[in-house]
């Protein structure tokens, strides 16, 4: 058999058969089963956003155009077309991929609403506008962000799998790609998400567009962002106000963020007087919109999905995560205090009872966000 059949959501596609298993990165056409939950969330998030466009702008469902700019087998865009009913353009630079996409379109009876194109995504994105633009390239999206920002009229979805450059593990590469200095410390995953959002905000601002992150999530393997596009120079200016810098003290862990174009002149930590490290520019605004997350969870519940429970848990955690930039790691404090880590929920409850904001985060099981200072955090851990 040349192909294997894969079923995700309500969409059934063919992918190349590589010795009876699913294709690896070097296959003629790429398919990664590990991204299924990301695609499940994408279907639900797109469905919610489309409903919003229909209600607020009076659009007809089939007239809303979605571009899956890096389609490979077509799985992302085909799922959107089949499971939300909007029109989708599926593009890939590889002719073999486009041939397979065409087969997968027919296989799903989507010939009326889905079309395949074989082009360099940057050329297509600069030529045509799409209501929703989804970019999911190999590794970094940075060479495509300018064109994606120019093309997207209502929603821009970006996946980045270059977590090492984004998070500061490959520092120079990250600086080259995102024009930002990241910090590779305990909250490096959130750093990556905020570096990417900052970069998207700057790219869209050039076109007098602002962004509102509706949902953003990070794992060890990738970062995914759904940014609503807001039109006009005023919105772009407001967006830019969310970009700023972080000063972090490696000695005591204290943090200070400043938005706008201000820089930190004082490099000393005001808490322990050691030298601080500066990161930025990064996005310091909200990572999600709570009503949007609620609607996505309801949609995930309604749809037949293989990764439903994991997807719901992730979006609920994103929704409940405090609107504060940069999480703490409970284990790091416990190591310093030489104690074993107590259960995280009762510990966060103690912080809340003392009048502070304190929530878990989606970044890891041991992470939390709070506005309590480090000495209070330590005191509550020791109580
Ligand atoms: N979205 C797919 C999915 O969910 O399975 C995976 C896409 S894969 C990570 C990236 C795809 O982008 C590859 O199929 C590759 O051929 C294609 N590609 C690479 N450079 C491109 C470019 N400049 N324009 C369009 N497609 C490109």
């Amino acid at each position: 058999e040349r192909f294997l059949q894969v079923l995700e959501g309500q969409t059934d596609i063919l992918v190349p058969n590589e010795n009876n298993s699913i294709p690896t990165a070097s296959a003629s056409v790429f398919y990664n089963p590990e991204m299924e939950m990301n695609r499940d969330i994408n279907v639900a998030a797109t469905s919610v956003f489309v409903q919003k466009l229909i209600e607020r702008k009076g659009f007809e469902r089939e007239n809303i155009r979605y571009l899956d700019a890096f389609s490979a087998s077509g799985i992302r865009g085909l799922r959107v077309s089949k499971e939300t009913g909007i029109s989708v353009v599926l593009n890939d630079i590889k002719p073999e991929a486009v041939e397979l996409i065409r087969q997968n379109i027919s296989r799903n009876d989507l010939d009326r609403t889905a079309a395949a194109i074989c082009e360099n995504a940057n050329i297509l994105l600069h030529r045509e506008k799409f209501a929703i633009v989804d970019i999911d390239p190999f590794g970094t999206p940075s060479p495509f962000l300018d064109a994606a920002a120019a093309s997207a009229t209502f929603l821009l979805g970006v996946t980045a799998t270059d977590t090492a450059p984004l998070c500061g593990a490959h520092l120079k590469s990250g600086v080259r790609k995102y024009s930002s200095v990241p910090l590779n410390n305990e909250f490096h995953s959130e750093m990556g998400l905020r570096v990417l959002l900052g970069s998207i905000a700057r790219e869209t601002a050039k076109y007098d567009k602002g962004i509102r992150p509706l949902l953003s999530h990070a794992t060890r393997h990738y970062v995914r962002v759904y940014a609503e596009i807001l039109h006009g120079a005023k919105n772009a200016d407001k967006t830019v106000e969310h970009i700023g810098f972080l000063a972090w003290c490696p000695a005591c862990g204290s943090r200070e963020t400043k938005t706008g174009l201000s820089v930190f002149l004082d490099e000393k930590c005001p808490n322990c007087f050691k030298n601080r490290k500066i990161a930025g520019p990064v996005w310091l605004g909200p990572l999600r919109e709570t009503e949007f997350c609620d609607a996505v969870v309801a949609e995930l519940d309604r749809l037949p999905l293989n990764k439903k429970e994991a997807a719901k848990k992730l979006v609920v955690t994103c929704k409940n995560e405090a609107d504060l930039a940069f999480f703490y790691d409970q284990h790091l404090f416990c190591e310093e205090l030489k104690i074993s880590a107590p259960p995280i929920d009762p510990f966060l409850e103690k912080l809340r009872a003392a009048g502070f904001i304190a929530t878990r985060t989606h970044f890891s099981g041991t992470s939390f966000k709070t506005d309590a200072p480090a000495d209070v955090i330590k005191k509550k851990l020791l109580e």
Side-chain angles (χ1 to χ4, degrees):
E1 293 284 306
R2 271 183 66 212
F3 296 108
L4 288 175
Q5 194 181 335
V6 168
L7 178 72
E8 282 192 17
Q10 299 158 64
T11 313
D12 147 26
I13 64 152
L14 297 178
V15 298
N17 181 353
E18 298 237 317
N19 306 321
N20 288 326
S21 56
I22 11 209
T24 53
S26 58
S28 58
V29 183
F30 181 81
Y31 169 78
N32 184 358
E34 291 201 10
M35 284 290 192
E36 183 170 358
M37 186 190 68
N38 178 344
R39 288 186 285 263
D40 281 355
I41 295 174
N42 186 53
V43 168
T46 304
S47 173
V48 168
F49 190 79
V50 162
Q51 200 51 43
K52 192 162 130 169
L53 277 186
I54 293 171
E55 280 161 19
R56 295 198 189 156
K57 311 240 178 232
F59 289 161
E60 300 281 340
R61 186 170 288 272
E62 341 33 288
N63 293 343
I64 298 173
R65 288 207 317 153
Y66 180 110
L67 173 66
D68 176 4
F70 301 82
S71 275
S73 66
I75 184 67
R76 250 186 128 77
L78 287 170
R79 289 197 57 188
V80 166
S81 177
K82 190 149 186 176
E83 297 166 45
T84 76
I86 59 172
S87 291
V88 173
V89 172
L90 301 117
N91 177 65
D92 202 283
I93 203 163
K94 260 190 162 182
E96 308 94 283
V98 177
E99 199 179 305
L100 184 59
I101 293 167
R102 293 207 167 108
Q103 282 189 50
N104 284 329
I105 290 178
S106 301
R107 200 181 167 77
N108 286 280
D109 291 326
L110 292 170
D111 302 83
R112 245 178 23 86
T113 51
I117 302 188
C118 186
E119 199 158 20
N120 184 329
N122 268 338
I123 295 175
L124 174 60
L125 286 161
H126 271 302
R127 192 183 59 230
E128 279 186 55
K129 297 211 185 308
F130 293 87
I132 304 173
V133 170
D134 186 345
I135 67 169
D136 182 25
F138 287 130
T140 182
S142 75
F144 309 104
L145 288 179
D146 166 70
S151 175
T153 40
F154 295 110
L155 183 70
L156 175 57
V158 179
T159 306
T161 55
D162 60 331
T163 50
L166 273 171
C167 298
H170 296 164
L171 179 69
K172 287 185 178 169
S173 170
V175 172
R176 286 197 307 275
K177 292 183 174 83
Y178 299 100
S179 302
S180 174
V181 178
L183 267 175
N184 184 17
N185 59 3
E186 73 266 27
F187 51 81
H188 60 82
S189 47
E190 183 171 352
M191 180 58 67
L193 197 48
R194 291 184 182 278
V195 164
L196 179 64
L197 272 167
S199 173
I200 294 172
R202 294 196 301 278
E203 296 288 352
T204 49
K206 294 186 304 194
Y207 294 100
D208 286 351
K209 292 173 177 174
I211 59 161
R212 179 189 292 134
L214 297 178
L215 175 62
S216 328
H217 54 96
T219 69
R220 210 156 54 82
H221 305 290
Y222 67 88
V223 172
R224 173 74 182 174
V225 166
Y226 299 84
E228 180 172 13
I229 302 291
L230 309 170
H231 292 266
K234 277 209 179 104
N235 278 320
D237 286 342
K238 272 193 220 144
T239 294
V240 170
E241 283 169 20
H242 287 300
I243 297 172
F245 295 82
L246 162 75
W248 172 73
C249 174
C252 74
S254 82
R255 305 99 196 268
E256 190 183 348
T257 55
K258 276 191 191 167
T259 52
L261 297 174
S262 55
V263 287
F264 292 90
L265 296 174
D266 178 10
E267 289 257 335
K268 296 268 181 254
C269 171
N271 194 33
C272 70
F273 308 105
K274 301 264 171 50
N275 277 341
R276 296 194 294 188
K277 287 179 187 276
I278 311 292
V282 293
W283 176 260
L284 293 171
L287 297 177
R288 50 89 189 93
E289 202 187 68
T290 52
E291 303 93 273
F292 185 80
C293 292
D294 279 336
V296 172
V297 172
E299 193 63 2
L300 286 167
D301 228 357
R302 193 185 69 80
L303 292 164
L305 302 166
N306 293 330
K307 308 286 176 200
K308 186 192 286 267
E309 292 313 316
K312 272 167 55 185
K313 189 173 168 214
L314 175 66
V315 181
V316 167
T317 314
C318 287
K319 179 209 153 182
N320 292 333
E321 195 172 301
D323 241 340
L324 296 167
F326 303 113
F327 63 79
Y328 291 92
D329 186 77
Q330 192 202 24
H331 284 191
L332 220 67
F333 279 109
C334 292
E335 265 167 40
E336 187 194 326
L337 297 170
K338 299 192 169 48
I339 55 169
S340 54
I344 193 158
D345 287 322
F347 155 65
L348 295 178
E349 191 46 55
K350 281 185 197 164
L351 286 173
R352 285 194 291 270
F356 296 101
I357 298 169
T359 71
R360 297 180 77 134
T361 90
H362 78 282
F363 293 99
S364 82
T366 60
S367 64
F368 63 98
K369 287 192 176 179
T370 185
D371 56 351
D375 56 331
V376 175
I377 296 172
K378 287 181 202 170
K379 207 175 110 213
K380 295 292 168 194
L381 277 170
L382 290 168
E383 260 176 20

